[in-house]
Amino acid sequence: MSAPTTIDPVERARDAAARESWAEAYALLHAHDRHPSRGLTADDLAVLADAAWWSGHVDESVTARLRAHAGYLAADDHRGAGLAAWWLHYEYLGLGRPAAAAGWLHRARHHLEGLPDCPEQCFLAWSDAEEAQARGDHEAALAAARRMTGLALDSGSPDLLALSRQAESRVLLAAGRRTEALALLDDAMCAVSADELSGMFTGWLFCLALTQCMEAADFGRAVEWTNAAMEWCAPPWSGRPTEDGRGARTESAGAPAPRPLPMSVPSGENPFRGVCRAHRVEVLDLLGAWALAEAEARQACREVPVDCLESAAAAYYAAGDVQRRQGRLDDAAVSYGHAHELGRIPQPGLALLRLAQGRADAAVAGIDLALACRGEADHDVLGLARLLAARTEVALAVRDVSGAAEAAADLDALAGDVPLLRALADTALGSVALARRTADALPPLRRALAGWLELRVPYEAAQVRMLLAAADRAAGDDEAARLELGTARAVFERLGAVPDARRAAALLSAGARRRLPGGLTAREAEVLRLVASGGTNKDIARALVISEHTVARHLNNIFTKLGVGSRAAATAYAYAHGLV
């Protein structure tokens, strides 16, 4: 009998990496690398760097990448050295070390720029596009993104092609070419949904696409891709099968798949989960699933890593918005504080919190400062729209109608025909018209309500109903006002928006007192309702905690005021006049 063949652990590690079984690959390479006599090649060190990152060993990932770069350089392999240098640039950037990142990007250019076209140059073109877009040079950014696309097509890599489509889409969107941009984004995401990409690129494109959809206020795409991302992130995750039944395919022409920022997560988990969950929180917030949104926000903050803290900041901010609208003002202040600690300006939520606390001056100052701090290259259109909407609300609260009108006009110009932005703008325009007591409030408010209902965003729809009720009442249509207030109150109660529910209830009660027919008092109306429901004098006395003698006196007054002579006639009157 022949002795069993021992498989080389490095070969096993390479196979595990090809299957995207990163914990297995890391364990094998890490153990092998601990013995000085067992050296690893530059390619194996690059695999170790990827495996260490996926397994939550961030420091080891950077160290292995540095060694891989040195190995490629010693072998005079400038393509390998250039790619390793670019990844070190990206990793150091994520770790908050911009000087080191800039140095490694310079090295990557030194290695790659003089070579014939190759897949590794895609990453340089991507960096060029990002830098040009940051300085507002859309023409240079688009040229770089299209060079990236050409290189990706030549490489035959589906990963690089999908990423280049997304990069070009982002540049076009920043340049205002929305239709072209979203068509390219859909093209890139088709590759994701068809399971054509490696796990690294799948996660990366989910993160990029979700950010892009929310910034562009494309709520429909955000909902769709958030659901798909969370399904992909769901455990267990240990490599997704492809056509050959193995893990995701390796890249051609020496271009390994790029990866997102390093994270510290337990082995075997999907490190994209926390970031994708943070995006989901924003979507759940708009959809009115507030309890789930807050729970997901807490979970996201536990899952995101130290080098992706903007996702944790977004989750804390979204939780603060939920808490503020529920009337939990102290909790909201804590959440906004955490978001600020992590580097996010917590506006406009903090300004609206100050308004709810009666600190109108602080609200105005906060909103104005946040608007002044926005750079010209900032492409977060939804963020700007929310600031302008809040500026309108705060200005109206301090009776600055002209300031509110200016903010609403800016929002109207920004919105175009984007549904989410259009609903925000119409709400602002209607609220300003209502404050001016003009007859122009109803059309924009009705458009806003239709828009929010179409988007299935319940809280904002209920807020518009409150404005519509005021406009209806000003126009003399008390019945329409009552219907809007009743619907808004029901939505607020279902969401847990306690302050808004109380306000709607108070307006309903005040309206009922003004509308009581026949000169009835509020107590007489209560007695009449109980009579109409079949209650005896004794029943009514027990329900209202008054004496039967007092009930009889109220009934005499009711019969006199209404001109009726029996309980049956009074009951008929109550039903006819909407008192029951």
Side-chain angles (χ1 to χ4, degrees), residues 12-13 15-16 19 21-29 55:
R12 290 165 55 200
D15 178 70
R19 291 182 282 108
S21 182
W22 296 111
E24 180 186 353
Y26 169 77
L28 289 166
L29 290 174
S55 303

Side-chain angles (χ1 to χ4, degrees), residues 94 298 306 540:
R298 286 194 294 267
V306 294
I540 296 170

Side-chain angles (χ1 to χ4, degrees), residues 62 65-66 69 81-109 111 127 131:
V62 174
R65 190 79 63 190
L66 288 166
H69 175 266
L83 187 59
W86 189 91
W87 274 117
L88 285 164
H89 145 74
Y90 193 77
E91 287 184 293
Y92 279 125
L93 196 63
L95 291 169
R97 298 183 56 185
W104 282 106
L105 181 58
H106 179 76
R107 282 200 176 188
R109 295 190 194 283
H111 289 306
S127 294
E131 290 177 351

